[in-house]
Amino acid sequence: MTTPPPETADAPTAKSMEDIVALCKRRGFIFPASEIYGGINGFWDFGPLGVELKNNLRDAWWHDMVRCPPEGPDGESLSIVGLDSAIIQNPKVWEASGHVGGFNDPMVDDRETKQRFRADQLFGLFHYTAQPPGKDRLFFDDVKEKLSAGEFVAPLVTVVANSEEEAIRHFVGRDWKPPKPYKRDIIENFKLELNRPFDLSLLDSQGKQWYCMSIRIPLQVIENFTAQVPSPFSKDGKAGNLMNPRMFNLMFKTSVGAVQDEDSVVYLRPETAQGIFLNFKNVTDTQRVKVPFGIAQIGKAFRNEVTPRNYIFRSREFEQMEMEFFCHESEATKWYDFWVQTRLDWWKSLGISADNLQRRDHDAAELAHYSTACADIEYRYPFTAPGFGELEGIAHRGCYDLTQHQEHSGAKLTYFDQERNEHYLPHVIEPAAGLSRGVLVLLCEAYTPDPERPSKVYMKFHPRMAPIKAAIFPLVAKDGMPEVAQQLYDELRAKYAVQLDVKQNIGKRYARMDEAGTPYCFTIDGQTLEDQTVTIRERDTLSQERINIDQVGSYLADRIGG
Amino acid sequence: MTTPPPETADAPTAKSMEDIVALCKRRGFIFPASEIYGGINGFWDFGPLGVELKNNLRDAWWHDMVRCPPEGPDGESLSIVGLDSAIIQNPKVWEASGHVGGFNDPMVDDRETKQRFRADQLFGLFHYTAQPPGKDRLFFDDVKEKLSAGEFVAPLVTVVANSEEEAIRHFVGRDWKPPKPYKRDIIENFKLELNRPFDLSLLDSQGKQWYCMSIRIPLQVIENFTAQVPSPFSKDGKAGNLMNPRMFNLMFKTSVGAVQDEDSVVYLRPETAQGIFLNFKNVTDTQRVKVPFGIAQIGKAFRNEVTPRNYIFRSREFEQMEMEFFCHESEATKWYDFWVQTRLDWWKSLGISADNLQRRDHDAAELAHYSTACADIEYRYPFTAPGFGELEGIAHRGCYDLTQHQEHSGAKLTYFDQERNEHYLPHVIEPAAGLSRGVLVLLCEAYTPDPERPSKVYMKFHPRMAPIKAAIFPLVAKDGMPEVAQQLYDELRAKYAVQLDVKQNIGKRYARMDEAGTPYCFTIDGQTLEDQTVTIRERDTLSQERINIDQVGSYLADRIGG
């Protein structure tokens, strides 16, 4: 989900995804999965620096949500417990949750070439090319190539044009201006969703701003359409090769047990949340919790995205940090407001600039039928700038999930509230953040070009997030300096992720640490041997000062904690 | 893999799995996955206490392997970096690793009832029942029922009898005594593996000790056999319903992308190790590491076990902690010896009694063709006692994996060793531990019956592993005690997982903490308000002493660290 920038938005920052991806590969943050085998689309491996960064974010969330949750809106102590449920659950879970029935994209097969397209891409593509101006034919070929490589990116139905008005003309065939700012409307059976100007930099060789809009189209309309147009890969250009659209479920399916049949089908969870609802009763039965309270979980989830895209933003395997906060219906709005604000503040506390974060409230048309409110915390990614893309969603889910599981399982999931003397199904506020996506935000936010430095760039991680907290350098690998460095290293690493680096000239070692985002470097030099002081070089300010070697531990503790 | 007890073994401890499982459910360590839907065989959820216990074990491993690895055999500093690779990789990975071709069990289908059996179970069952003494027919029905419910447990081929000699007679049809103690031999085309006396408590209603043995049987022998015997579920008792055995791969298969065909098949990784080999080059290219060094990873793995069993010992979804240590061939034996000893010591450092741990070296017949040595660290689980079962394996893998991946991918994976001035594929020592299995060991080891306590049992976790480090109790919920308790709680929880409990009488609160394995309880009482002292109750000794409330933090730091 992407949205318009606030009207006061600054110009987009000059960070390019290409540069960030290159640094992540070069320094060992993120590698393409199975790279030596040509990779696998939508899967990524976290390298030595990436896993530490991800663990830091994971541990900060767990610490700040489970061990030391924030105070509630009235200053009260909150109770949140942890959980770790299995990725594979009984398949009835996903029938109850609605994922078997509703977690679908319409796909269209090409009879001749056996290629499969997301119906919306096909539709958008044709709708656009049905009225091509001169140069756009070239553009179409470009899109076709991307589509063929599985790289073409589109919300439900997308059209690309030079302006909003042009985009709309392509769709609705007449001059029409949308109600401002960015409202939805029903036009000629289409439910129109007008999104923000979209940076289609992948497609845009002229450096222009293209506009993008999405439309939910009834399946029937797509069927009529596919019957009438040729496949983009048709050799004779005749219609008739495209089959009727079929729904494609985004859950990965597998089979459990020795027999593979319908009864053995199971799914990889598409979200961690349902594992929490499944254990609601187990938790209230075994823990000293009373409503309101939360259950939190961090773990992998899987979605068979047709077009994974934007690096680790939309991958097929990813990690989530989800918390379900159970409360009485009458207090749900209070808790919803609390969690939206709390979660937004949390991301800021990790060093994400307020300018690059925004709260976007879903409007009524966007909400699931059971939900009364939902807000996204969005980040201005380089690939959405000047617009924003989702980082975390906070949903008011009502008592939908517990109701569904109670009905489908037959287990009684009501909670007895002693103070109210009332049996009820609690309502749920769900702050659901992407851990992998959070890592991407940390990487994008930290990436800071600086032509003055030898590395030309440094990673400005919040010290709490930095994969390496400090580096220890002997200025030269002789005169007893390595021994002093080793001793300091051994002392610090029991507590902090630190690195000892003895090779190369000091400038190159600083450059390495700038790219790794190490906030502090301690150098042992000739003077150290005389007066027991070391040089501290601070990553962001480049300031250098000397402190006594005995004070290095408390210097770090003051800045990093622990 | 299970093994004979050492000859000096004590009598098995009196811990029963049933009691441990019940405590884990009751206190929120482990729940059956999808319990409200009747569960799903082989999958488990970790509850609020279980996830903390598991995280403590996970973090201890990471700390002791990656951040602060042990000193090497010559006192040198070791270098080990972390990694987190995707669960789903390019399927070619598993062809290269041998998992597509070799990770198989033979299965036999029943044409009539469509049931499927592991060939060895069928074989063992028939071989046994072919010569039934009087009461054993009843026993057979019992086994049949278990088999039908998917609960029957067997190594490759199993026979159950009253003595070793009887078991062997069932197999080889004549009086034969195995070479002592527990050697392997080839008898009449069978490769015989004699295992330890096996506690078949599930099957044994008479409280007798049954003996169990395993035999690897050529597929041809099974084919001849299945052609001649009826299915155990045959209605007319005639042969001919059993189909030829087919190999069943233990990897979960799924399909990636919109099209489901042979090209889209991928697997859930059956081990985390291969993700490390895939990134060997990425790591050496991006990190300051030189051979010898290690790459460590913690993560989920999946095996579609035909008969998951023994609680979380053999589940279908589990977590591993694996480290691949890359070294020069000439030093591999040295590193192998080092890691076997180091890993054994590590488990002891977590409070696992030396009596319940043993090193078992694989003999030549057990080793993979590429491996020159392998040792298991085994634990005396309640379900293996007086014998032992696997907890961690340390394998000398030679350069097999890197060779395979180099051949299959075409990527050059050799390492240039500057000091030796030599290009080579490093050899690998792999300490591979089960994280889920480690949690089971911690639970079994901690479980301590004590009839004198109100709880009748306490969990004697090492303080480093305890899910709750300390509990804080106001003696009564009035007179300002809750406020003092809350203040202490807020102070401690920034650093430690502590719990505040204000309800019930103090005895019941101690009992809860005994079952949770909380090593220390601090009680705020009337005297606290006068002289600022609190009572410390120590879990194992039940000793109570008073210390000043200001000293509680350092009291914990001395015992838990941090």
Side-chain angles (χ1 to χ4, degrees):
Chain A
M1 182 62 63
T2 51
T3 51
E7 304 203 351
T8 58
D10 297 333
T13 52
K15 301 175 184 183
S16 104
M17 275 315 289
E18 215 171 81
D19 293 341
I20 295 173
V21 170
L23 181 138
C24 287
K25 175 76 173 26
R26 182 167 78 241
R27 288 312 323 277
F29 283 97
I30 298 173
F31 306 122
S34 300
E35 193 178 13
I36 59 173
Y37 288 98
I40 173 169
N41 194 10
F43 298 90
W44 301 89
D45 293 346
F46 289 83
L49 291 187
V51 66
E52 298 291 346
L53 180 65
K54 181 152 71 71
N55 288 354
N56 289 342
L57 183 57
R58 172 196 76 186
D59 293 345
W61 189 89
W62 195 263
H63 182 274
D64 296 346
M65 291 292 267
V66 180
R67 183 174 296 172
C68 299
E71 283 190 348
D74 304 320
E76 68 271 44
S77 213
L78 295 192
S79 172
I80 301 179
V81 299
L83 185 82
D84 184 38
S85 67
I87 287 170
I88 292 177
Q89 298 281 349
N90 189 309
K92 290 176 194 156
V93 171
W94 308 110
E95 289 166 21
S97 69
H99 285 89
V100 169
F103 200 56
N104 296 301
D105 272 350
M107 302 292 300
V108 174
D109 284 318
D110 179 341
R111 247 183 278 269
E112 189 186 15
T113 65
K114 309 293 178 207
Q115 303 222 38
R116 180 171 289 178
F117 318 100
R118 249 173 55 192
D120 60 308
Q121 296 182 339
L122 193 66
F123 190 88
L125 186 61
F126 269 101
H127 206 100
Y128 177 69
T129 54
Q131 352 180 350
K135 79 161 184 60
D136 293 329
R137 196 69 218 174
L138 183 67
F139 176 69
F140 168 63
D141 288 339
D142 191 15
V143 171
K144 200 169 83 169
E145 189 189 313
K146 304 265 175 211
L147 181 61
S148 174
E151 288 173 12
F152 185 42
V153 169
L156 283 169
V157 169
T158 302
V159 66
V160 178
N162 282 300
S163 68
E164 262 177 54
E165 287 68 23
E166 186 185 326
I168 291 159
R169 271 200 307 280
H170 282 307
F171 263 113
V172 302
R174 62 181 171 84
D175 217 351
W176 177 83
K177 275 184 96 64
K180 288 270 179 185
Y182 305 103
K183 281 274 178 68
R184 282 172 195 73
D185 209 343
I186 305 294
I187 311 153
E188 302 179 9
N189 292 326
F190 296 163
K191 183 173 162 212
L192 180 65
E193 289 180 22
L194 250 195
N195 281 338
R196 50 163 191 69
F198 193 76
D199 174 22
L200 276 170
S201 54
L202 269 175
L203 304 177
D204 181 7
S205 50
Q206 281 87 27
K208 274 194 211 168
Q209 182 70 45
W210 297 94
Y211 283 77
C212 151
M213 49 186 262
S214 297
I215 292 187
R216 287 180 202 278
I217 299 181
L219 216 55
Q220 182 61 41
V221 174
I222 301 178
E223 283 178 13
N224 291 341
F225 174 75
T226 52
Q228 292 166 28
V229 301
S231 160
F233 297 93
S234 161
K235 286 177 192 98
D236 57 10
K238 287 182 188 157
N241 280 333
L242 293 176
M243 296 169 72
N244 275 342
R246 289 184 303 186
M247 298 312 279
F248 170 73
N249 195 289
L250 293 182
M251 285 194 292
F252 284 100
K253 246 187 210 180
T254 185
S255 211
V256 73
V259 187
Q260 284 184 30
D261 60 17
E262 278 191 15
D263 292 339
S264 71
V265 168
V266 294
Y267 304 94
L268 306 191
R269 67 179 174 200
E271 60 173 37
T272 60
Q274 295 303 322
I276 294 177
F277 296 118
L278 293 178
N279 283 293
F280 171 71
K281 202 68 188 162
N282 274 333
V283 169
T284 54
D285 285 351
T286 63
Q287 308 299 304
R288 283 280 174 89
V289 286
K290 50 183 193 173
V291 169
F293 75 95
I295 305 178
Q297 163 157 253
I298 299 177
K300 286 258 167 108
F302 298 79
R303 294 181 188 177
N304 192 5
E305 300 286 350
V306 179
T307 47
R309 58 182 176 273
N310 290 331
Y311 202 33
I312 60 170
F313 179 79
R314 192 172 300 284
S315 51
R316 287 166 165 158
E317 176 177 339
F318 54 99
E319 278 179 273
Q320 292 186 306
M321 310 186 287
E322 297 195 303
M323 194 271 288
E324 309 298 322
F325 195 77
F326 300 91
C327 59
H328 189 267
E329 180 175 9
S330 64
E331 298 194 322
T333 302
K334 175 182 89 173
W335 287 111
Y336 171 73
D337 292 339
F338 170 77
W339 282 114
V340 173
Q341 190 56 49
T342 299
R343 296 300 305 149
L344 189 58
D345 291 344
W346 189 76
W347 288 106
K348 290 179 190 164
S349 80
L350 301 183
I352 312 301
S353 140
D355 285 348
N356 288 332
L357 286 170
Q358 74 171 12
R359 166 183 177 160
R360 187 180 70 82
D361 292 295
H362 292 209
D363 60 26
E366 223 177 326
L367 293 175
H369 66 89
Y370 52 79
S371 179
T372 56
C374 189
D376 284 345
I377 295 172
E378 299 188 322
Y379 179 73
R380 195 199 318 256
Y381 299 94
F383 48 83
T384 59
F388 289 73
E390 188 183 345
L391 163 61
E392 171 160 355
I394 296 95
H396 181 329
R397 301 184 63 89
C399 58
Y400 175 75
D401 305 275
L402 289 179
T403 304
Q404 288 293 105
H405 286 302
Q406 178 164 279
E407 272 177 24
H408 281 74
S409 71
K412 196 180 163 197
L413 300 183
T414 50
Y415 170 81
F416 178 63
D417 189 324
Q418 284 186 308
E419 284 173 30
R420 295 176 193 267
N421 193 27
E422 182 186 347
H423 290 270
Y424 58 86
L425 286 178
H427 279 227
V428 172
I429 308 303
E430 173 191 272
L435 172 54
S436 322
R437 208 170 266 187
V439 169
L440 179 57
V441 166
L442 294 177
L443 288 167
C444 292
E445 184 74 13
Y447 190 91
T448 311
D450 180 357
E452 303 300 310
R453 298 187 189 221
S455 56
K456 308 295 180 208
V457 62
Y458 66 106
M459 296 299 279
K460 200 175 173 174
F461 293 119
H462 189 288
R464 193 180 180 195
M465 293 295 107
I468 306 169
K469 304 302 184 200
I472 298 142
F473 303 150
L475 184 62
V476 290
K478 56 181 184 182
D479 300 338
M481 294 180 204
E483 290 73 14
V484 176
Q486 179 77 44
Q487 203 180 340
L488 181 61
Y489 172 60
D490 288 339
E491 181 197 321
L492 294 179
R493 71 172 173 169
K495 214 161 173 184
Y496 302 106
V498 291
Q499 228 177 63
L500 174 69
D501 193 355
V502 298
K503 276 195 219 158
Q504 292 186 318
N505 72 54
I506 196 80
K508 284 192 178 165
R509 282 182 274 173
Y510 283 148
R512 271 189 77 242
M513 288 301 157
D514 276 348
E515 286 200 334
T518 306
Y520 311 106
C521 294
F522 302 105
T523 301
I524 283 81
D525 55 19
Q527 197 179 328
T528 310
L529 306 175
E530 288 166 21
D531 68 1
Q532 314 299 314
T533 60
V534 299
T535 306
I536 302 174
R537 185 260 202 181
E538 209 273 326
R539 177 196 64 202
D540 300 341
T541 61
L542 298 178
S543 72
Q544 302 209 6
E545 54 170 322
R546 294 193 78 91
I547 63 168
N548 195 285
I549 198 165
D550 293 340
Q551 295 174 321
V552 167
S554 59
Y555 179 94
L556 280 183
D558 290 347
R559 283 153 184 83
I560 297 168
Chain B
M1 183 61 62
T2 50
T3 52
E7 304 204 351
T8 58
D10 297 334
T13 53
K15 300 175 184 182
S16 101
M17 274 316 290
E18 216 171 80
D19 294 340
I20 294 172
V21 170
L23 181 138
C24 286
K25 175 74 173 25
R26 182 168 78 242
R27 289 312 322 276
F29 283 96
I30 297 172
F31 306 123
S34 300
E35 192 178 13
I36 60 174
Y37 288 98
I40 173 170
N41 194 10
F43 298 90
W44 301 90
D45 293 346
F46 289 83
L49 291 188
V51 65
E52 298 291 347
L53 180 64
K54 181 154 70 71
N55 288 354
N56 289 343
L57 183 57
R58 171 196 76 185
D59 293 345
W61 190 88
W62 195 264
H63 182 274
D64 297 347
M65 291 292 267
V66 180
R67 184 175 295 172
C68 299
E71 284 190 346
D74 303 320
E76 68 270 45
S77 213
L78 295 193
S79 172
I80 301 180
V81 299
L83 186 82
D84 184 38
S85 67
I87 287 170
I88 292 177
Q89 298 281 348
N90 189 308
K92 289 176 195 157
V93 171
W94 309 110
E95 289 166 22
S97 69
H99 285 88
V100 169
F103 199 54
N104 296 302
D105 273 350
M107 303 292 299
V108 174
D109 285 318
D110 179 341
R111 245 183 279 269
E112 189 185 14
T113 65
K114 309 291 177 208
Q115 303 223 38
R116 181 172 290 179
F117 317 100
R118 250 175 52 193
D120 59 309
Q121 296 182 341
L122 193 67
F123 191 88
L125 186 61
F126 268 101
H127 207 100
Y128 177 68
T129 54
Q131 353 183 348
K135 81 161 186 56
D136 292 329
R137 195 70 215 174
L138 182 68
F139 175 70
F140 168 63
D141 289 338
D142 192 14
V143 171
K144 199 168 83 169
E145 190 190 312
K146 304 267 174 210
L147 180 62
S148 173
E151 288 172 13
F152 186 42
V153 170
L156 282 170
V157 168
T158 303
V159 66
V160 178
N162 282 301
S163 68
E164 263 178 51
E165 286 69 23
E166 187 184 326
I168 291 159
R169 271 200 306 280
H170 283 307
F171 263 114
V172 302
R174 62 181 170 82
D175 217 354
W176 178 83
K177 275 185 97 65
K180 288 269 179 185
Y182 304 103
K183 281 273 179 66
R184 283 172 195 72
D185 210 342
I186 305 296
I187 311 154
E188 302 178 10
N189 291 327
F190 296 162
K191 183 177 162 208
L192 180 65
E193 289 181 21
L194 250 195
N195 281 339
R196 50 165 192 68
F198 192 75
D199 174 22
L200 276 171
S201 53
L202 270 175
L203 303 177
D204 180 7
S205 50
Q206 283 85 28
K208 273 194 211 169
Q209 182 70 45
W210 296 94
Y211 283 76
C212 151
M213 48 186 261
S214 298
I215 293 187
R216 287 180 202 277
I217 299 181
L219 215 57
Q220 182 61 43
V221 174
I222 301 178
E223 282 178 13
N224 291 340
F225 174 75
T226 53
Q228 293 166 28
V229 302
S231 160
F233 297 93
S234 162
K235 286 177 191 98
D236 58 10
K238 286 182 190 158
N241 281 332
L242 294 176
M243 297 169 70
N244 273 342
R246 289 184 303 186
M247 298 312 279
F248 169 74
N249 196 289
L250 293 182
M251 285 193 293
F252 284 101
K253 246 187 211 180
T254 184
S255 212
V256 72
V259 187
Q260 283 184 29
D261 60 16
E262 280 192 13
D263 291 340
S264 70
V265 167
V266 294
Y267 305 93
L268 306 190
R269 65 178 174 200
E271 60 173 36
T272 60
Q274 295 303 322
I276 295 177
F277 295 118
L278 293 178
N279 283 293
F280 170 71
K281 201 68 189 160
N282 273 332
V283 169
T284 54
D285 285 351
T286 63
Q287 309 299 305
R288 283 279 174 89
V289 286
K290 50 183 193 173
V291 169
F293 75 95
I295 306 177
Q297 163 157 254
I298 298 177
K300 286 258 168 108
F302 298 79
R303 294 181 188 178
N304 193 5
E305 299 285 350
V306 179
T307 48
R309 58 183 176 271
N310 291 329
Y311 203 34
I312 60 169
F313 178 79
R314 191 173 301 284
S315 51
R316 286 165 166 161
E317 176 177 338
F318 54 98
E319 279 178 272
Q320 292 186 306
M321 310 185 288
E322 296 196 303
M323 194 271 289
E324 309 300 319
F325 195 78
F326 300 90
C327 60
H328 189 269
E329 180 175 10
S330 64
E331 297 193 322
T333 303
K334 174 183 89 175
W335 288 111
Y336 171 74
D337 293 338
F338 169 76
W339 282 114
V340 173
Q341 190 57 48
T342 299
R343 296 301 305 149
L344 188 59
D345 292 343
W346 188 76
W347 288 106
K348 290 179 191 164
S349 81
L350 302 183
I352 312 302
S353 139
D355 285 348
N356 288 333
L357 286 170
Q358 73 170 12
R359 167 183 177 159
R360 187 180 70 82
D361 292 295
H362 292 209
D363 60 26
E366 225 177 323
L367 293 175
H369 66 89
Y370 53 80
S371 179
T372 56
C374 189
D376 284 345
I377 294 172
E378 299 189 321
Y379 179 73
R380 195 198 318 256
Y381 300 94
F383 50 81
T384 59
F388 289 73
E390 187 183 347
L391 162 62
E392 171 161 354
I394 297 94
H396 182 329
R397 301 184 63 88
C399 57
Y400 175 75
D401 304 275
L402 289 179
T403 304
Q404 288 293 106
H405 287 302
Q406 177 163 279
E407 272 177 23
H408 281 74
S409 71
K412 197 181 162 195
L413 300 181
T414 50
Y415 170 82
F416 177 62
D417 189 324
Q418 284 186 308
E419 284 172 31
R420 295 175 194 267
N421 193 26
E422 183 187 344
H423 290 269
Y424 57 86
L425 286 177
H427 279 227
V428 172
I429 309 303
E430 173 192 271
L435 172 54
S436 323
R437 209 169 266 185
V439 169
L440 178 58
V441 166
L442 294 177
L443 288 166
C444 293
E445 184 75 13
Y447 189 90
T448 311
D450 180 356
E452 302 300 310
R453 299 188 188 220
S455 56
K456 308 294 180 207
V457 62
Y458 66 107
M459 297 297 281
K460 200 175 174 174
F461 293 120
H462 189 288
R464 192 180 180 194
M465 293 294 107
I468 306 170
K469 304 302 184 201
I472 298 143
F473 303 150
L475 184 62
V476 291
K478 57 181 184 181
D479 300 338
M481 294 180 203
E483 290 75 13
V484 177
Q486 179 78 43
Q487 203 181 339
L488 181 60
Y489 172 60
D490 288 339
E491 181 196 321
L492 293 179
R493 71 172 173 168
K495 213 160 173 187
Y496 302 105
V498 292
Q499 227 176 64
L500 174 68
D501 192 356
V502 298
K503 276 196 217 156
Q504 292 188 318
N505 72 53
I506 195 81
K508 283 191 179 165
R509 283 182 274 173
Y510 283 149
R512 272 189 77 242
M513 288 302 158
D514 276 349
E515 286 200 332
T518 307
Y520 311 105
C521 295
F522 302 105
T523 301
I524 283 81
D525 54 19
Q527 197 179 328
T528 310
L529 306 174
E530 289 165 22
D531 68 1
Q532 314 298 315
T533 61
V534 299
T535 306
I536 302 174
R537 186 259 203 182
E538 208 273 327
R539 178 195 65 202
D540 300 341
T541 62
L542 297 178
S543 71
Q544 302 209 6
E545 54 170 324
R546 295 193 78 91
I547 63 167
N548 195 285
I549 199 166
D550 293 341
Q551 295 174 321
V552 168
S554 59
Y555 179 93
L556 281 183
D558 289 347
R559 283 153 184 83
I560 296 167

